[in-house]
Amino acid sequence: MCRIFISADPSSYESRTRSVRLHGVVTSIRLENLHWAVLEEIAGRDGLSVAQLMERLYDELVADRGAVGNFSSFLRVCALRYESLIANGRIPRDASIPIRSLDPDQVLQGLPRDFCGGPEVTASASRSAAAAAAHGPAAWASPSTGAPSWSASSAIAARPRSGA
């Protein structure tokens, strides 16, 4: 079992700090290289830079929750959720399909409580979050209508990476 995980390229779990500007304020974000690579893929799907993606995620998080908390941890969770949603067929693997073109209701419907931060998500419950996210890459969704189970332990390992 451990060989599956310990065979990872050591550069993927080395940390890198980037300075980003969020609404004119410069801040430093420290993430592992693998997380940066996933965020670059998410941003690239919508023609954004990583800084633009982070600003949109930050804005939508503040709009939804009123506060940010640990933004670096939030970004790690975003990367893991993205990989998990792809592994479970809720977001197409085809990186040419923009995230903003997907329907958030379809990806969120039926997800377990621990994935969505509340009771099982129904289409009507996810509409308010979808409205805030409709313009940006945080509007994660998929044309899939099934509700496959989610497994955090296999999400990143399940997806082959190209060039990362």
Side-chain angles (χ1 to χ4, degrees):
M1 172 188 89
C2 293
R3 195 168 120 217
I4 292 169
F5 302 105
I6 66 169
S7 64
D9 180 352
S11 68
S12 69
Y13 52 86
E14 290 175 0
S15 294
R16 183 173 31 155
T17 302
R18 288 190 183 181
S19 291
V20 294
R21 187 177 302 271
L22 298 174
H23 298 294
V25 177
V26 177
T27 187
S28 294
I29 306 281
R30 184 175 184 88
L31 299 173
E32 294 73 21
N33 287 328
L34 182 59
H35 291 114
W36 285 120
V38 173
L39 292 172
E40 287 167 5
E41 182 175 317
I42 295 168
R45 288 181 78 142
D46 283 293
L48 301 172
S49 68
V50 173
Q52 290 169 322
L53 170 68
M54 290 192 312
E55 190 168 68
R56 286 194 181 184
L57 290 171
Y58 180 90
D59 290 348
E60 291 177 19
L61 185 60
V62 168
D64 188 64
R65 305 258 165 90
V68 172
N70 187 332
F71 193 56
S72 293
S73 292
F74 172 75
L75 292 172
R76 286 183 186 93
V77 169
C78 288
L80 180 61
R81 283 177 61 110
Y82 173 77
E83 293 293 344
S84 178
L85 292 168
I86 286 177
N88 285 291
R90 290 177 170 259
I91 291 179
R93 289 187 187 276
D94 183 351
S96 70
I97 299 171
I99 299 294
R100 71 178 175 272
S101 71
L102 305 173
D103 181 358
D105 289 338
Q106 290 180 355
V107 72
L108 297 176
Q109 187 165 0
L111 287 175
R113 178 184 178 145
D114 62 345
F115 195 87
C116 296
E120 184 175 300
V121 175
T122 62
S124 61
S126 66
R127 264 188 212 99
S128 62
H135 71 280
W140 298 348
S142 170
S144 170
T145 58
S149 63
W150 175 68
S151 171
S153 62
S154 64
I156 290 180
R159 182 145 182 267
R161 308 248 10 121
S162 59

